[in-house]
Amino acid sequence: MTLPTNFQFSQGSLQDYVDCPRRFQLRYLLRLAWPAMEAEPPLENERHLQQGAAFHRLIHQHVLGIAPERLSSTVTDADLRRWWHNYLERGPENLPELRYPEIVLSAPAGDYRLVAKYDLIAVGPSAMLSAGTGKRAVIVDWKTSRKRPRRRWLAERLQTKVYPYLLVRAGAHLNGGQPLEVEQVEMVYWFANFPEEPARFAYDIAQYEADEAYLTSLVGQVANLSNSSYPLTTQERHCRYCPYRSLCQRGVRAGALDEVEDELELDDGFGISLDFEQIAEIEY
């Protein structure tokens, strides 16, 4: 099966392709649902994903104007209560005043489209820019990872490339119809378990041009593949957390949940996506 002409790329699908072309083919082209767990114990993994989704909903409702006291009264889970408290007491500081939660942006990428769903985009004046007349556009992404990933690992993720790039390309309507300058954009990962250690990535023209070249090349590469050109990853230890591992004859038993985020410490260019990017990802 070749890539459909109406296929829309996301940071998740591109990350899957970079991590393992075969997984991209199985998940997005063949749309194969395979009955295998991603991590053990499965109930704990499912609970953590549900907690993360609930945390995103709380913040979304708060940004929309629902009083934090009212939202706090609905929280009964201990981990979720702690994350929520961290957000209220030590959430991202000095964000621009206009807030756009759970917003989707899209732009052409070669013959296809690139799309992203953002947890939050905040746009507004910046006193740090000339005469206070400049604008800032801050992308905030909420993470509930048990461990805080290294900056180098984060910098290489497709999310860190796609989100700022797409905001520059498609975010003019969030800025009064005026295109955002590259230098006005910043991406922030805020970690519920590490509220005082956000990861901030400023954007500049060199990074924007590099991202544009890389993303355009990557989309073109996927679009030109034949059915037989989706090889398995060579990093077999990562197959422990892939639901297709038994289909690909890469083992049967899932990896342990308490070990999965240890993989974030690896610097081999391949990262485990389990949990880190599953929450709020657009489904196609």
Side-chain angles (χ1 to χ4, degrees), residues 84-280:
W84 178 238
H85 178 267
N86 287 344
Y87 164 76
L88 293 177
E89 297 296 325
R90 292 174 286 176
E93 297 179 346
N94 303 318
L95 291 180
E97 59 186 11
L98 295 178
R99 311 288 171 85
Y100 302 94
E102 303 293 337
I103 190 170
V104 176
L105 298 181
S106 176
D111 294 329
Y112 295 86
R113 293 195 71 81
L114 182 63
V115 62
K117 182 178 181 181
Y118 297 77
D119 287 347
L120 178 67
I121 298 175
V123 181
S126 172
M128 295 184 294
L129 298 178
S130 59
T133 59
K135 289 288 186 72
R136 293 174 65 218
V138 182
I139 302 163
V140 184
D141 202 77
W142 317 111
K143 297 300 184 189
T144 57
S145 309
R146 290 178 172 85
K147 296 184 179 181
R148 188 189 182 286
R150 291 183 180 181
R151 182 177 180 84
R152 175 178 171 180
W153 187 88
L154 288 168
E156 293 301 316
R157 302 305 288 174
L158 265 297
Q159 186 174 20
T160 309
K161 302 177 186 299
V162 168
Y163 279 32
Y165 170 76
L166 198 54
L167 179 56
V168 173
R169 287 285 310 277
H173 66 290
L174 307 180
N175 188 39
Q178 297 297 316
L180 288 161
E181 299 293 334
V182 173
E183 292 80 4
Q184 294 172 329
V185 173
E186 179 186 22
M187 179 149 187
V188 178
Y189 291 106
W190 186 86
F191 301 94
N193 282 311
F194 308 92
E196 296 179 351
E197 302 178 48
R200 296 181 174 274
F201 292 89
Y203 213 42
D204 57 38
I205 190 64
Q207 187 63 56
Y208 173 81
E209 292 177 348
D211 290 344
E212 182 170 56
Y214 176 67
L215 294 171
T216 301
S217 174
L218 194 58
V219 168
Q221 180 179 338
V222 178
N224 291 324
L225 286 178
S226 65
N227 286 341
S228 60
S229 301
Y230 293 91
L232 300 176
T233 177
T234 59
Q235 303 293 331
E236 292 192 25
R237 66 178 177 277
H238 299 292
C239 299
R240 292 181 298 163
Y241 301 97
C242 177
Y244 301 113
R245 61 188 171 276
S246 60
L247 176 65
C248 300
Q249 299 182 345
R250 288 285 179 87
V252 176
R253 186 174 179 178
L257 182 62
D258 59 3
E259 298 176 1
V260 62
E261 286 174 345
D262 290 337
E263 302 291 347
L264 301 182
E265 298 298 315
L266 298 174
D267 288 325
D268 60 4
F270 188 108
I272 292 293
S273 298
L274 179 63
D275 174 61
F276 189 78
E277 290 159 343
Q278 284 184 348
I279 303 299

Side-chain angles (χ1 to χ4, degrees), residues 20-53:
C20 179
R22 176 62 170 164
R23 187 168 70 205
F24 174 90
Q25 183 190 38
L26 292 171
R27 179 172 289 169
Y28 298 100
L29 299 187
L30 300 179
R31 303 182 70 86
L32 181 63
W34 195 252
M37 66 185 71
E38 290 184 314
E40 294 184 346
L43 292 180
E44 183 180 348
N45 181 40
E46 181 64 25
R47 176 175 175 269
H48 188 68
L49 291 176
Q50 291 175 351
Q51 289 172 322

